[in-house]
Amino acid sequence: MPIDKERSRGILQKTCDEKTVPGTLGSNDRRHEEMAGSKQGGMLAQLRSLEARMEAKVGIESEAIVRKRAQDKKHVPWTEELTMALLWASGTMNTSCFATGFLGWQFGLSLKQAILITIFASILGGMVTGYCATFGAATGLRQMSVGRYSFGWWPSKLVALLNCIQQMGWAAVSCITGGLALTAVSDGHVSLIVGIVVLAVVALAISFIGLDAILVYERYAWVVFLVIFLIILGETGKYADNSTGASLSGATLSGAVLSLIAVVYGSSAAWCTTASDYYVHYRADVSRAKVFLMTSFGVAMPTSIGMLAGCVVASTLNNKPAWRETYERDGLGYLMQDVLYPRGFAKFLLALLVLSGINTNVISIYSASLSFQQLARPLALVPRFIWTLVSFACILALAVGGREQLNAYLQNFLSLLGYWCTSYGIILLEEHYVFRKGRFENYDLEGWNDAARLPLGIGAAVAFGLGVVAWCMGMNQTWFAGPVARTIGDGGGDVANELTFVVTALGYLPARYLELRVVGR
């Protein structure tokens, strides 16, 4: 909604009167913090004081969700701007993407079909993430805070909760696949549970420090895993099943294609709810086109590389009965050890590949901790490092509980990620270009943490609710198939994302318009 000049001057004057110190909470938030601290017997005040001391001595990031203003930002050289792409390369080029590549083979699709779908859906999902990333530098706000200008104060709490669940679930998937590889490396001497714990603990250490440590680590970690996946492709490519077509046809083939698109798209689009978390330190005048392109392809290309390696290895199971038996009997880690040679080299590569799960977990733990802080004002007063520990504990519980049914877990969980991320992305897009006229001057950025200065979120709540109905109508999961999905072929076809896009886009425009007419913000 455009903001007139008089209102803008009033906001500026109010901000100056409050004498907000750059990089700190505003006076309203500070008063709230002091009252909450006194109610808690000073415990929160002591924890925040501890966080501030750790930031001063060892660089532990504090007050992470506070808006980063222009005076808080430094010039970022172009070499470091490459992190816009390299960050996601490290986070996506991992064993969980490799495991997702097996789903095309499991759906009965040919290698050629699986490869084309993987590339297309990865780019499509990456574009959703790339668009959301453009808000970080321009606003100085984390992704969940950006969502407040569309979803409002209260509905945005639900979005933050969903993001907490999503990030912890994504990290759990990485722990499981990395743990399987570690078990294979040790010839079964290290249990899957121990492997999960090892991956989670290392990721916790990096996320605990904060954004600076994450950007440095993720900038370089991807190189090792790119080399490994290229070696996997080189050693297994000659056994790939390229000669035969898919065993499916007609509507059943269409259903399998749609279901695989949903999974791959979901794995790339899922980053959209965290993207701007890692861009708040860039100057507001950084090119949005650069941010969009580098993020979109920074997500899509490495995701495709990991998944394509999985597609190729899965296709070899048609020609190599011994490998198929190993996969079905012992799991993914032992299969990777069998397909690579010589054996000592295979163990070495697997040992390195185990570390790929850390990359995803680092991003997920950090963003989950930020989302926890935005669930309620009192929770925002709890230091980020506490929420980092909470996220770590939840990830361990999810990973240990879901370790037995890996592929079913992947298929169902990643598809669900894409559904609500589609609603989130289209609501942000329509709010920005239709109601804010594509201009950040029309955002009351100083009011990011003030419920009275944000939309109520009625329009977004209505559109999001309609999107949920669309998910249920079009989703095709092992535990539930919607009425529309069941009509596509013998096994059904997942059209939840397509329905969600249309329903949310059409529902948000009139609902938000009425909200503006009645409420005025």
Side-chain angles (χ1 to χ4, degrees), residues 47-205:
L47 287 173
R48 292 182 68 85
S49 177
L50 173 62
E51 183 183 45
R53 291 197 302 271
M54 289 193 297
E55 181 178 35
K57 293 182 178 180
V58 293
I60 301 295
E61 183 183 10
S62 66
E63 294 190 347
I65 66 169
V66 175
R67 179 176 170 241
K68 302 300 183 291
R69 294 173 173 81
Q71 57 265 41
D72 301 323
K73 301 180 181 183
K74 299 179 181 179
H75 173 69
V76 179
W78 71 268
T79 51
E80 292 188 18
E81 285 186 347
L82 293 175
T83 306
M84 293 180 193
L86 303 182
L87 166 72
W88 308 109
S90 294
T92 59
M93 206 180 303
N94 52 40
T95 50
S96 60
C97 279
F98 179 76
T100 305
F102 279 65
L103 293 179
W105 171 73
Q106 292 183 337
F107 288 157
L109 298 173
S110 69
L111 176 59
K112 181 179 179 180
Q113 290 167 337
I115 288 175
L116 291 175
I117 292 168
T118 295
I119 295 174
F120 167 76
S122 294
I123 294 175
L124 192 62
M127 291 173 65
V128 176
T129 299
Y131 172 73
C132 292
T134 62
F135 286 84
T139 65
L141 293 171
R142 309 294 180 147
Q143 194 68 63
M144 289 297 99
S145 297
V146 170
R148 291 177 177 179
Y149 291 91
S150 305
F151 288 85
W153 182 261
W154 294 109
S156 66
K157 308 297 184 184
L158 173 61
V159 175
L161 178 61
L162 287 172
N163 194 44
C164 290
I165 296 171
Q166 171 174 297
Q167 297 311 315
M168 292 185 295
W170 184 252
V173 171
S174 295
C175 284
I176 292 171
T177 50
L180 288 170
L182 186 59
T183 300
V185 169
S186 65
D187 293 324
H189 296 298
V190 175
S191 69
L192 177 56
I193 293 179
V194 173
I196 289 171
V197 171
V198 169
L199 290 171
V201 168
V202 177
L204 171 66

Side-chain angles (χ1 to χ4, degrees), residues 131-132 143 146-147 150-151 424-432:
Y131 172 73
C132 292
Q143 194 68 63
V146 170
S150 305
F151 288 85
Y424 180 85
I426 191 62
I427 287 174
L428 256 63
L429 187 145
E430 290 188 336
E431 176 68 25
H432 183 69

